[in-house]
Coordinates of all heavy atoms in Angstrom, one line a residue:
M308 N 9.7 4.6 9.3 CA 8.3 4.6 8.9 C 7.6 5.7 9.7 O 7.8 5.9 10.9 CB 7.7 3.3 9.2 CG 6.3 3.2 8.6 SD 5.6 1.5 8.8 CE 6.3 0.7 7.4
F309 N 6.9 6.5 8.9 CA 6.2 7.6 9.6 C 5.0 7.2 10.4 O 4.5 6.1 10.2 CB 5.7 8.6 8.5 CG 6.8 9.2 7.7 CD1 7.1 8.9 6.4 CD2 7.7 10.2 8.3 CE1 8.2 9.4 5.7 CE2 8.7 10.8 7.6 CZ 9.0 10.4 6.3
L310 N 4.6 8.0 11.3 CA 3.4 7.7 12.1 C 2.2 7.4 11.3 O 1.4 6.5 11.6 CB 3.1 8.9 13.1 CG 2.0 8.7 14.1 CD1 2.4 7.6 15.1 CD2 1.7 10.0 14.9
F311 N 2.0 8.2 10.2 CA 0.9 8.0 9.2 C 0.9 6.5 8.7 O -0.1 5.9 8.7 CB 1.0 9.0 8.1 CG 0.0 8.8 7.0 CD1 -1.3 9.2 7.2 CD2 0.3 8.1 5.8 CE1 -2.3 9.0 6.2 CE2 -0.6 8.0 4.8 CZ -1.9 8.4 5.0
E312 N 2.1 6.0 8.3 CA 2.2 4.7 7.7 C 2.1 3.6 8.8 O 1.6 2.5 8.4 CB 3.5 4.6 7.0 CG 3.6 5.5 5.8 CD 5.0 5.5 5.2 OE1 6.0 5.1 5.8 OE2 5.1 6.1 4.1
E313 N 2.5 3.9 10.0 CA 2.4 2.9 11.0 C 0.9 2.6 11.4 O 0.5 1.5 11.8 CB 3.2 3.3 12.3 CG 4.7 3.3 12.1 CD 5.4 3.7 13.3 OE1 4.8 4.0 14.4 OE2 6.6 3.9 13.2
H314 N 0.1 3.7 11.4 CA -1.3 3.6 11.9 C -2.3 3.9 10.7 O -3.3 4.4 10.9 CB -1.5 4.6 13.0 CG -0.6 4.4 14.2 ND1 -0.7 3.3 15.0 CD2 0.5 5.1 14.6 CE1 0.2 3.4 15.9 NE2 1.0 4.4 15.7
I315 N -1.9 3.4 9.5 CA -2.7 3.7 8.4 C -4.1 3.1 8.4 O -5.1 3.8 8.0 CB -2.0 3.3 7.1 CG1 -2.6 4.0 5.9 CG2 -2.0 1.8 6.9 CD1 -1.8 3.9 4.6
D316 N -4.3 1.9 9.0 CA -5.6 1.3 9.1 C -6.5 2.1 10.0 O -7.7 2.3 9.7 CB -5.5 -0.1 9.5 CG -4.8 -1.0 8.5 OD1 -5.0 -0.7 7.3 OD2 -4.1 -2.0 8.8
T317 N -6.0 2.5 11.2 CA -6.7 3.2 12.2 C -7.1 4.6 11.6 O -8.2 5.1 11.8 CB -5.9 3.4 13.5 OG1 -5.5 2.1 13.9 CG2 -6.7 4.0 14.5
I318 N -6.2 5.2 10.9 CA -6.5 6.5 10.4 C -7.6 6.4 9.3 O -8.5 7.3 9.2 CB -5.2 7.2 9.8 CG1 -4.2 7.5 10.9 CG2 -5.5 8.4 9.0 CD1 -2.8 7.9 10.5
E319 N -7.5 5.4 8.5 CA -8.5 5.2 7.5 C -9.9 5.0 8.1 O -10.9 5.6 7.6 CB -8.2 4.0 6.6 CG -9.2 3.7 5.5 CD -8.8 2.5 4.7 OE1 -8.2 1.6 5.2 OE2 -9.2 2.5 3.5
I320 N -10.0 4.2 9.2 CA -11.3 4.0 9.8 C -11.8 5.3 10.4 O -13.0 5.7 10.3 CB -11.2 2.9 10.9 CG1 -10.9 1.6 10.2 CG2 -12.4 2.9 11.8 CD1 -10.5 0.5 11.2
A321 N -10.9 6.1 11.0 CA -11.3 7.4 11.6 C -11.7 8.4 10.6 O -12.7 9.1 10.8 CB -10.1 7.9 12.4
A322 N -11.1 8.4 9.4 CA -11.4 9.3 8.4 C -12.8 9.0 7.8 O -13.6 9.9 7.5 CB -10.3 9.3 7.3
K323 N -13.0 7.7 7.6 CA -14.3 7.2 7.0 C -15.4 7.6 8.0 O -16.5 8.0 7.6 CB -14.3 5.8 6.7 CG -13.5 5.4 5.5 CD -13.5 3.9 5.2 CE -12.8 3.5 4.0 NZ -12.8 2.1 3.7
T324 N -15.2 7.3 9.3 CA -16.2 7.6 10.3 C -16.5 9.1 10.4 O -17.7 9.5 10.4 CB -15.7 7.0 11.7 OG1 -15.4 5.6 11.5 CG2 -16.8 7.3 12.7
A325 N -15.4 9.9 10.4 CA -15.6 11.3 10.5 C -16.4 11.8 9.2 O -17.3 12.7 9.4 CB -14.3 12.0 10.6
S326 N -16.1 11.3 8.1 CA -16.7 11.7 6.9 C -18.2 11.4 6.9 O -19.1 12.3 6.6 CB -16.1 11.0 5.7 OG -16.7 11.4 4.5
W327 N -18.6 10.2 7.3 CA -20.0 9.8 7.4 C -20.7 10.6 8.5 O -21.9 11.0 8.3 CB -20.1 8.3 7.5 CG -20.0 7.6 6.2 CD1 -18.9 6.8 5.8 CD2 -20.8 7.6 5.1 NE1 -19.1 6.4 4.6 CE2 -20.3 6.8 4.1 CE3 -22.1 8.2 4.9 CZ2 -20.9 6.6 2.8 CZ3 -22.7 8.0 3.6 CH2 -22.1 7.2 2.7
M328 N -20.1 10.7 9.6 CA -20.8 11.5 10.7 C -21.1 12.9 10.3 O -22.1 13.5 10.5 CB -19.9 11.4 12.0 CG -19.8 10.0 12.5 SD -21.3 9.3 13.1 CE -21.6 10.2 14.5
C329 N -20.1 13.5 9.6 CA -20.3 14.9 9.2 C -21.3 15.0 8.0 O -22.1 16.0 7.9 CB -19.0 15.5 8.7 SG -17.9 15.9 10.2
F330 N -21.4 14.0 7.2 CA -22.3 14.0 6.1 C -23.7 13.9 6.7 O -24.6 14.7 6.3 CB -22.1 12.7 5.3 CG -23.0 12.6 4.1 CD1 -22.8 13.5 3.0 CD2 -24.0 11.7 4.0 CE1 -23.6 13.4 1.8 CE2 -24.8 11.6 2.9 CZ -24.6 12.4 1.8
I331 N -23.9 13.1 7.8 CA -25.2 13.0 8.4 C -25.5 14.4 9.2 O -26.6 14.9 9.1 CB -25.2 11.8 9.4 CG1 -25.2 10.5 8.6 CG2 -26.5 11.9 10.4 CD1 -24.9 9.3 9.5
A332 N -24.5 14.9 9.8 CA -24.6 16.2 10.5 C -25.1 17.3 9.5 O -25.9 18.2 9.9 CB -23.4 16.6 11.2
I333 N -24.5 17.3 8.3 CA -24.9 18.3 7.3 C -26.3 18.2 7.0 O -27.0 19.2 6.9 CB -24.0 18.2 6.1 CG1 -22.6 18.7 6.4 CG2 -24.6 19.0 4.9 CD1 -21.6 18.4 5.2
F334 N -26.8 17.0 6.8 CA -28.3 16.9 6.5 C -29.1 17.4 7.7 O -30.1 18.0 7.5 CB -28.6 15.4 6.2 CG -28.4 15.0 4.8 CD1 -27.5 14.1 4.4 CD2 -29.2 15.6 3.8 CE1 -27.3 13.7 3.1 CE2 -29.1 15.3 2.5 CZ -28.1 14.3 2.1
A335 N -28.7 17.0 8.9 CA -29.4 17.5 10.1 C -29.4 19.0 10.2 O -30.4 19.6 10.5 CB -28.8 16.9 11.3
L336 N -28.2 19.6 9.9 CA -28.1 21.1 10.0 C -28.9 21.8 8.9 O -29.6 22.8 9.2 CB -26.6 21.5 9.9 CG -25.8 21.1 11.1 CD1 -24.3 21.4 10.8 CD2 -26.2 22.0 12.3
V337 N -28.9 21.3 7.7 CA -29.7 21.9 6.7 C -31.2 21.7 6.9 O -32.0 22.6 6.7 CB -29.3 21.3 5.3 CG1 -30.2 21.7 4.2 CG2 -27.9 21.7 4.9
F338 N -31.5 20.5 7.4 CA -33.0 20.2 7.7 C -33.5 21.1 8.8 O -34.6 21.6 8.7 CB -33.1 18.7 8.1 CG -34.5 18.3 8.4 CD1 -35.4 18.2 7.3 CD2 -35.0 18.1 9.7 CE1 -36.7 17.8 7.6 CE2 -36.3 17.7 9.9 CZ -37.2 17.6 8.9
T339 N -32.7 21.4 9.8 CA -33.1 22.3 10.9 C -32.9 23.7 10.6 O -33.3 24.6 11.3 CB -32.4 22.0 12.2 OG1 -31.0 22.1 12.0 CG2 -32.7 20.6 12.7
G340 N -32.3 24.0 9.4 CA -32.1 25.4 9.0 C -31.0 26.1 9.7 O -30.9 27.4 9.7
Q341 N -30.1 25.4 10.3 CA -28.9 26.1 11.0 C -27.7 26.1 10.1 O -26.7 25.4 10.3 CB -28.6 25.3 12.3 CG -29.8 25.4 13.3 CD -29.3 25.0 14.6 OE1 -28.1 24.8 14.9 NE2 -30.3 24.9 15.5
V342 N -27.8 26.9 9.1 CA -26.7 27.1 8.2 C -25.7 28.1 8.7 O -26.1 29.2 9.0 CB -27.2 27.5 6.8 CG1 -26.0 27.7 5.8 CG2 -28.2 26.5 6.2
G343 N -24.5 27.8 8.9 CA -23.5 28.7 9.5 C -22.2 28.0 9.8 O -21.8 27.1 9.1
T344 N -21.7 28.4 10.9 CA -20.4 27.8 11.3 C -20.4 26.3 11.5 O -19.4 25.7 11.0 CB -19.9 28.5 12.7 OG1 -19.9 29.9 12.5 CG2 -18.5 28.1 13.1
P345 N -21.3 25.7 12.2 CA -21.3 24.2 12.3 C -21.3 23.6 10.9 O -20.6 22.5 10.7 CB -22.6 23.9 13.1 CG -22.9 25.1 13.8 CD -22.4 26.3 13.0
L346 N -22.1 24.1 10.0 CA -22.2 23.5 8.7 C -20.8 23.7 8.0 O -20.3 22.7 7.3 CB -23.2 24.2 7.8 CG -23.4 23.7 6.4 CD1 -23.9 22.2 6.5 CD2 -24.4 24.5 5.7
T347 N -20.2 24.8 8.1 CA -18.9 25.0 7.5 C -17.8 24.1 8.1 O -17.0 23.5 7.3 CB -18.4 26.5 7.7 OG1 -19.4 27.4 7.2 CG2 -17.1 26.7 7.1
I348 N -17.9 23.9 9.4 CA -16.9 23.0 10.1 C -17.1 21.5 9.5 O -16.2 20.8 9.2 CB -17.1 23.0 11.6 CG1 -16.6 24.4 12.1 CG2 -16.3 21.9 12.3 CD1 -16.9 24.7 13.5
A349 N -18.4 21.1 9.4 CA -18.7 19.8 8.9 C -18.2 19.6 7.5 O -17.6 18.5 7.1 CB -20.2 19.5 9.0
V350 N -18.3 20.6 6.6 CA -17.9 20.5 5.3 C -16.3 20.4 5.2 O -15.8 19.6 4.5 CB -18.4 21.7 4.4 CG1 -17.7 21.8 3.1 CG2 -19.9 21.6 4.2
V351 N -15.7 21.2 6.1 CA -14.2 21.2 6.1 C -13.7 19.8 6.6 O -12.8 19.2 6.1 CB -13.6 22.3 7.0 CG1 -12.2 22.1 7.3 CG2 -13.9 23.7 6.4
I352 N -14.4 19.3 7.6 CA -14.0 17.9 8.1 C -14.2 16.9 7.0 O -13.3 16.0 6.8 CB -14.8 17.6 9.4 CG1 -14.4 18.5 10.5 CG2 -14.6 16.1 9.7 CD1 -15.2 18.3 11.8
I353 N -15.3 16.9 6.3 CA -15.5 16.0 5.2 C -14.3 16.2 4.1 O -13.8 15.2 3.6 CB -16.8 16.2 4.5 CG1 -17.9 15.6 5.4 CG2 -16.9 15.5 3.1 CD1 -19.3 15.7 4.9
W354 N -14.0 17.4 3.8 CA -13.0 17.7 2.8 C -11.6 17.1 3.3 O -10.9 16.4 2.6 CB -12.8 19.1 2.6 CG -11.8 19.5 1.5 CD1 -11.9 19.3 0.2 CD2 -10.5 20.0 1.8 NE1 -10.7 19.7 -0.4 CE2 -9.8 20.1 0.6 CE3 -9.8 20.3 3.0 CZ2 -8.5 20.6 0.5 CZ3 -8.5 20.8 2.8 CH2 -7.9 20.9 1.6
V355 N -11.3 17.3 4.6 CA -10.0 16.8 5.1 C -10.0 15.3 5.1 O -9.0 14.7 4.8 CB -9.7 17.4 6.5 CG1 -8.6 16.7 7.2 CG2 -9.5 18.9 6.4
S356 N -11.1 14.7 5.5 CA -11.1 13.2 5.6 C -11.0 12.6 4.2 O -10.4 11.6 4.0 CB -12.4 12.7 6.3 OG -13.6 13.1 5.6
R357 N -11.6 13.3 3.2 CA -11.5 12.8 1.8 C -10.1 12.9 1.3 O -9.6 12.0 0.6 CB -12.5 13.5 0.9 CG -13.9 13.2 1.1 CD -14.2 11.8 0.8 NE -15.5 11.4 1.3 CZ -16.0 10.2 1.3 NH1 -15.3 9.2 0.8 NH2 -17.2 10.0 1.8
V358 N -9.4 14.0 1.6 CA -8.0 14.2 1.3 C -7.1 13.1 1.9 O -6.3 12.5 1.3 CB -7.5 15.6 1.6 CG1 -6.0 15.7 1.5 CG2 -8.2 16.6 0.7
T359 N -7.4 12.8 3.2 CA -6.7 11.8 3.9 C -6.9 10.4 3.3 O -6.0 9.6 3.1 CB -7.2 11.8 5.4 OG1 -6.9 13.1 6.0 CG2 -6.4 10.7 6.2
L360 N -8.2 10.1 2.9 CA -8.5 8.8 2.3 C -7.8 8.7 0.9 O -7.3 7.6 0.6 CB -10.0 8.6 2.2 CG -10.7 8.4 3.5 CD1 -12.2 8.5 3.2 CD2 -10.3 7.1 4.1
Y361 N -7.7 9.8 0.2 CA -7.0 9.8 -1.1 C -5.5 9.5 -0.8 O -4.9 8.7 -1.5 CB -7.2 11.1 -1.8 CG -6.4 11.2 -3.1 CD1 -6.9 10.5 -4.2 CD2 -5.2 11.9 -3.2 CE1 -6.2 10.6 -5.4 CE2 -4.6 12.0 -4.4 CZ -5.1 11.3 -5.5 OH -4.4 11.4 -6.7
R362 N -4.9 10.1 0.2 CA -3.5 9.9 0.5 C -3.3 8.4 0.9 O -2.2 7.8 0.6 CB -3.1 10.9 1.6 CG -1.7 10.7 2.1 CD -0.7 11.2 1.1 NE 0.7 11.1 1.7 CZ 1.6 10.3 1.3 NH1 1.4 9.4 0.3 NH2 2.8 10.3 1.9
I363 N -4.2 7.9 1.7 CA -4.1 6.5 2.1 C -4.1 5.6 0.9 O -3.3 4.6 0.7 CB -5.2 6.1 3.1 CG1 -4.9 6.8 4.4 CG2 -5.3 4.6 3.2 CD1 -6.1 6.7 5.4
K364 N -5.0 5.9 -0.1 CA -5.1 5.1 -1.3 C -3.8 5.2 -2.1 O -3.3 4.2 -2.6 CB -6.2 5.6 -2.2 CG -6.4 4.9 -3.4 CD -7.6 5.5 -4.2 CE -7.8 4.8 -5.6 NZ -8.8 5.5 -6.4
E365 N -3.2 6.4 -2.2 CA -1.9 6.5 -2.9 C -0.8 5.7 -2.2 O 0.1 5.1 -2.8 CB -1.5 8.0 -2.9 CG -2.2 8.8 -3.9 CD -1.7 10.3 -3.9 OE1 -1.1 10.7 -2.9 OE2 -1.9 10.9 -4.9
T366 N -0.8 5.8 -0.8 CA 0.3 5.1 -0.1 C 0.2 3.6 -0.3 O 1.2 2.9 -0.5 CB 0.1 5.4 1.4 OG1 0.3 6.8 1.6 CG2 1.2 4.7 2.3
R367 N -1.0 3.0 -0.2 CA -1.2 1.6 -0.5 C -0.9 1.2 -1.9 O -0.3 0.1 -2.1 CB -2.7 1.2 -0.1 CG -2.9 1.3 1.4 CD -4.0 0.4 1.8 NE -4.1 0.3 3.2 CZ -5.1 0.5 3.9 NH1 -6.3 0.8 3.4 NH2 -5.1 0.3 5.2
A368 N -1.2 2.0 -2.8 CA -0.8 1.7 -4.2 C 0.7 1.7 -4.4 O 1.3 0.8 -5.0 CB -1.4 2.8 -5.2
Y369 N 1.4 2.6 -3.7 CA 2.9 2.7 -3.7 C 3.4 1.4 -3.1 O 4.4 0.8 -3.6 CB 3.4 3.9 -3.0 CG 4.9 3.9 -2.8 CD1 5.7 4.2 -3.8 CD2 5.4 3.7 -1.5 CE1 7.1 4.2 -3.6 CE2 6.8 3.7 -1.3 CZ 7.6 3.9 -2.4 OH 8.9 3.9 -2.1
W370 N 2.9 1.0 -1.9 CA 3.3 -0.2 -1.2 C 3.1 -1.4 -2.1 O 4.0 -2.3 -2.2 CB 2.6 -0.4 0.1 CG 3.0 0.5 1.2 CD1 4.1 1.4 1.2 CD2 2.3 0.7 2.4 NE1 4.1 2.1 2.3 CE2 3.0 1.7 3.1 CE3 1.2 0.2 3.0 CZ2 2.7 2.2 4.4 CZ3 0.8 0.6 4.2 CH2 1.6 1.6 4.9
D371 N 1.9 -1.5 -2.8 CA 1.7 -2.6 -3.7 C 2.7 -2.7 -4.8 O 3.2 -3.8 -5.2 CB 0.2 -2.6 -4.2 CG -0.8 -2.8 -3.2 OD1 -0.4 -3.4 -2.1 OD2 -2.0 -2.5 -3.4
E372 N 3.0 -1.5 -5.4 CA 3.9 -1.5 -6.5 C 5.3 -1.9 -6.0 O 6.0 -2.6 -6.7 CB 4.0 0.0 -7.0 CG 4.9 0.1 -8.3 CD 4.9 1.6 -8.7 OE1 3.8 2.1 -9.0 OE2 6.0 2.2 -8.8
K373 N 5.7 -1.4 -4.8 CA 7.0 -1.8 -4.3 C 7.1 -3.2 -4.0 O 8.1 -3.9 -4.3 CB 7.2 -0.9 -3.0 CG 8.6 -1.0 -2.4 CD 8.7 -0.1 -1.2 CE 10.0 -0.2 -0.5 NZ 10.1 0.6 0.7
D374 N 6.0 -3.8 -3.4 CA 6.0 -5.3 -3.2 C 6.1 -6.1 -4.5 O 6.8 -7.1 -4.5 CB 4.7 -5.7 -2.4 CG 4.7 -5.2 -1.0 OD1 5.8 -4.9 -0.5 OD2 3.6 -5.2 -0.4
A375 N 5.4 -5.6 -5.5 CA 5.5 -6.3 -6.8 C 6.9 -6.3 -7.4 O 7.4 -7.3 -7.9 CB 4.5 -5.7 -7.8
E376 N 7.6 -5.1 -7.2 CA 9.0 -5.0 -7.7 C 9.9 -5.9 -6.9 O 10.7 -6.6 -7.5 CB 9.4 -3.6 -7.6 CG 8.8 -2.7 -8.6 CD 9.2 -1.2 -8.3 OE1 10.0 -0.9 -7.4 OE2 8.7 -0.3 -9.1
E377 N 9.7 -6.0 -5.6 CA 10.5 -6.9 -4.8 C 10.3 -8.4 -5.1 O 11.2 -9.2 -5.2 CB 10.2 -6.6 -3.3 CG 10.8 -5.3 -2.8 CD 10.4 -5.0 -1.3 OE1 9.8 -5.9 -0.7 OE2 10.8 -3.9 -0.9
R378 N 9.0 -8.7 -5.3 CA 8.7 -10.1 -5.7 C 9.3 -10.5 -7.1 O 9.9 -11.6 -7.2 CB 7.2 -10.3 -5.8 CG 6.5 -10.5 -4.5 CD 5.1 -11.0 -4.6 NE 4.3 -10.2 -5.4 CZ 3.5 -9.2 -5.0 NH1 3.5 -8.9 -3.7 NH2 2.8 -8.5 -5.8
E379 N 9.3 -9.5 -8.0 CA 9.9 -9.8 -9.3 C 11.4 -9.9 -9.2 O 12.0 -10.8 -9.8 CB 9.6 -8.6 -10.3 CG 10.1 -8.8 -11.7 CD 9.6 -10.1 -12.4 OE1 8.4 -10.5 -12.1 OE2 10.3 -10.6 -13.2
L380 N 12.0 -9.1 -8.4 CA 13.5 -9.2 -8.2 C 13.8 -10.5 -7.5 O 14.8 -11.1 -7.9 CB 14.0 -8.0 -7.3 CG 15.4 -7.9 -6.9 CD1 16.3 -7.8 -8.2 CD2 15.7 -6.8 -6.0
H381 N 13.0 -10.9 -6.6 CA 13.3 -12.2 -5.9 C 13.2 -13.4 -6.9 O 14.0 -14.3 -6.8 CB 12.3 -12.4 -4.8 CG 12.5 -13.6 -4.0 ND1 13.6 -13.8 -3.1 CD2 11.7 -14.8 -3.9 CE1 13.5 -15.0 -2.6 NE2 12.4 -15.6 -3.0
R382 N 12.1 -13.3 -7.8 CA 12.0 -14.4 -8.8 C 13.2 -14.4 -9.7 O 13.7 -15.5 -10.1 CB 10.7 -14.1 -9.6 CG 9.5 -14.6 -9.0 CD 8.3 -14.5 -10.0 NE 7.1 -14.3 -9.2 CZ 6.4 -13.2 -9.2 NH1 6.6 -12.2 -10.0 NH2 5.3 -13.1 -8.5
E383 N 13.7 -13.2 -10.1 CA 14.9 -13.1 -11.0 C 16.1 -13.7 -10.3 O 16.9 -14.4 -10.9 CB 15.1 -11.7 -11.4 CG 14.1 -11.2 -12.4 CD 14.3 -9.7 -12.7 OE1 15.3 -9.1 -12.2 OE2 13.5 -9.1 -13.5
Q384 N 16.2 -13.4 -9.0 CA 17.4 -13.9 -8.3 C 17.3 -15.5 -8.1 O 18.3 -16.2 -8.3 CB 17.5 -13.3 -6.9 CG 17.9 -11.8 -6.9 CD 17.8 -11.2 -5.6 OE1 17.2 -11.7 -4.6 NE2 18.5 -10.0 -5.4
Q385 N 16.1 -16.0 -7.9 CA 15.9 -17.4 -7.8 C 16.2 -18.1 -9.1 O 16.9 -19.1 -9.2 CB 14.5 -17.8 -7.4 CG 14.2 -17.6 -5.9 CD 12.7 -18.0 -5.6 OE1 11.8 -17.8 -6.4 NE2 12.5 -18.5 -4.4
H386 N 15.8 -17.5 -10.2 CA 16.0 -18.0 -11.6 C 17.6 -18.0 -11.8 O 18.1 -19.0 -12.3 CB 15.3 -17.1 -12.6 CG 15.5 -17.7 -14.0 ND1 14.9 -18.8 -14.4 CD2 16.2 -17.2 -15.1 CE1 15.2 -19.0 -15.7 NE2 16.0 -18.0 -16.1
A387 N 18.2 -16.9 -11.5 CA 19.7 -16.9 -11.7 C 20.4 -17.9 -10.8 O 21.3 -18.6 -11.3 CB 20.2 -15.5 -11.4
N388 N 19.9 -18.1 -9.6 CA 20.5 -19.1 -8.7 C 20.3 -20.5 -9.3 O 21.2 -21.4 -9.2 CB 20.0 -19.0 -7.3 CG 20.5 -17.8 -6.6 OD1 21.5 -17.2 -7.0 ND2 19.7 -17.4 -5.5
R389 N 19.1 -20.8 -9.8 CA 18.8 -22.1 -10.4 C 19.7 -22.4 -11.6 O 20.3 -23.4 -11.8 CB 17.4 -22.2 -10.9 CG 16.5 -22.5 -9.7 CD 15.1 -22.9 -10.2 NE 14.1 -22.2 -9.3 CZ 13.2 -21.4 -9.6 NH1 13.0 -21.0 -10.9 NH2 12.4 -20.9 -8.7
E390 N 19.9 -21.3 -12.5 CA 20.8 -21.5 -13.6 C 22.2 -21.8 -13.2 O 22.9 -22.6 -13.8 CB 20.7 -20.2 -14.5 CG 19.5 -20.1 -15.3 CD 19.6 -18.8 -16.2 OE1 20.6 -18.1 -16.2 OE2 18.6 -18.6 -16.9
R391 N 22.7 -21.1 -12.2 CA 24.0 -21.3 -11.7 C 24.2 -22.7 -11.2 O 25.2 -23.3 -11.5 CB 24.4 -20.2 -10.6 CG 25.8 -20.1 -10.3 CD 26.1 -19.0 -9.3 NE 25.5 -17.7 -9.6 CZ 24.5 -17.1 -8.9 NH1 24.1 -17.6 -7.8 NH2 24.0 -15.9 -9.3
E392 N 23.2 -23.1 -10.4 CA 23.3 -24.5 -9.9 C 23.3 -25.5 -11.0 O 24.1 -26.5 -10.9 CB 22.2 -24.7 -8.9 CG 22.3 -26.0 -8.2 CD 23.6 -26.2 -7.4 OE1 24.1 -25.2 -6.8 OE2 24.0 -27.3 -7.3
L393 N 22.5 -25.3 -12.0 CA 22.4 -26.3 -13.1 C 23.8 -26.3 -13.9 O 24.2 -27.4 -14.3 CB 21.3 -25.9 -14.1 CG 19.9 -26.3 -13.5 CD1 18.8 -25.7 -14.5 CD2 19.7 -27.8 -13.4
R394 N 24.4 -25.2 -14.1 CA 25.7 -25.1 -14.7 C 26.7 -25.9 -13.9 O 27.5 -26.6 -14.5 CB 26.1 -23.7 -14.9 CG 25.4 -23.0 -16.1 CD 26.1 -21.6 -16.4 NE 25.1 -20.8 -17.1 CZ 24.6 -19.7 -16.6 NH1 25.0 -19.2 -15.5 NH2 23.7 -19.0 -17.4
R395 N 26.7 -25.7 -12.6 CA 27.6 -26.5 -11.8 C 27.4 -28.0 -11.9 O 28.4 -28.8 -12.0 CB 27.5 -26.0 -10.3 CG 28.1 -24.7 -10.0 CD 27.9 -24.4 -8.6 NE 28.2 -23.0 -8.3 CZ 27.8 -22.3 -7.3 NH1 27.0 -22.8 -6.4 NH2 28.1 -21.0 -7.2
Q396 N 26.2 -28.4 -11.9 CA 25.9 -29.8 -12.0 C 26.3 -30.3 -13.4 O 26.9 -31.4 -13.4 CB 24.4 -30.0 -11.8 CG 23.9 -29.9 -10.4 CD 22.4 -30.1 -10.2 OE1 21.7 -30.3 -11.2 NE2 21.9 -29.9 -9.0
I397 N 26.1 -29.6 -14.4 CA 26.5 -30.0 -15.8 C 28.0 -30.1 -15.8 O 28.6 -31.1 -16.3 CB 26.0 -29.0 -16.8 CG1 24.5 -29.2 -16.9 CG2 26.7 -29.2 -18.2 CD1 23.8 -28.1 -17.8
Q398 N 28.7 -29.1 -15.2 CA 30.2 -29.2 -15.2 C 30.7 -30.4 -14.4 O 31.7 -31.1 -14.8 CB 30.8 -27.9 -14.6 CG 30.7 -26.7 -15.5 CD 31.2 -25.4 -14.8 OE1 31.4 -25.5 -13.6 NE2 31.2 -24.4 -15.6
R399 N 30.1 -30.7 -13.3 CA 30.4 -31.9 -12.5 C 30.2 -33.2 -13.3 O 31.0 -34.1 -13.3 CB 29.7 -32.0 -11.2 CG 30.3 -31.2 -10.1 CD 29.6 -31.4 -8.8 NE 29.0 -30.1 -8.4 CZ 27.8 -29.9 -7.9 NH1 27.0 -30.8 -7.8 NH2 27.4 -28.6 -7.6
L400 N 29.1 -33.2 -14.0 CA 28.8 -34.5 -14.8 C 29.7 -34.6 -16.0 O 30.0 -35.7 -16.4 CB 27.3 -34.4 -15.3 CG 26.3 -34.6 -14.2 CD1 24.9 -34.3 -14.7 CD2 26.4 -35.9 -13.6
Q401 N 30.2 -33.5 -16.6 CA 31.1 -33.6 -17.7 C 32.5 -33.9 -17.4 O 33.3 -34.3 -18.2 CB 31.0 -32.2 -18.5 CG 29.7 -32.1 -19.2 CD 29.6 -30.7 -19.9 OE1 30.4 -29.8 -19.7 NE2 28.6 -30.6 -20.8
R402 N 32.9 -33.7 -16.1 CA 34.3 -34.0 -15.7 C 34.5 -35.5 -15.7 O 33.7 -36.2 -15.3 CB 34.5 -33.5 -14.3 CG 34.8 -32.0 -14.3 CD 35.3 -31.7 -12.9 NE 34.4 -30.6 -12.4 CZ 34.2 -30.3 -11.2 NH1 34.7 -31.0 -10.2 NH2 33.4 -29.3 -10.8
P403 N 35.7 -35.9 -16.2 CA 36.0 -37.3 -16.1 C 36.1 -37.8 -14.6 O 36.5 -37.0 -13.8 CB 37.3 -37.4 -16.9 CG 37.9 -36.1 -16.9 CD 36.7 -35.1 -16.8
D404 N 35.7 -39.0 -14.4 CA 35.8 -39.5 -13.0 C 37.3 -39.6 -12.6 O 38.1 -40.0 -13.4 CB 35.2 -40.9 -12.9 CG 33.7 -40.8 -13.0 OD1 33.1 -39.7 -12.8 OD2 33.0 -41.8 -13.4
R405 N 37.5 -39.3 -11.4 CA 38.9 -39.4 -10.9 C 39.2 -40.7 -10.3 O 38.7 -41.5 -9.8 CB 39.1 -38.3 -9.8 CG 39.0 -36.9 -10.4 CD 39.2 -35.9 -9.4 NE 38.9 -34.6 -9.9 CZ 39.0 -33.5 -9.3 NH1 39.4 -33.5 -8.1 NH2 38.7 -32.3 -9.8

């Protein structure tokens, strides 16, 4: 498992926090008239945090899909095992007593 996947919750919180802090900073910078490098940096940080949040969303969707497939496979295996056990019981019941 990659570092990103191991710490996905922490990264998500950090990306959301950075995004909102930079959003507030952009308003403050525009309000004070300081358009320049700090504003550019804030915009880039928001962009990177949004890309990160999108990647987190994709990763979680993949995990959910994978879990659903595993649950379905498990159900199918349980169903097959039940059928096999029922067949054995039927065969035992159909055998003449010894």
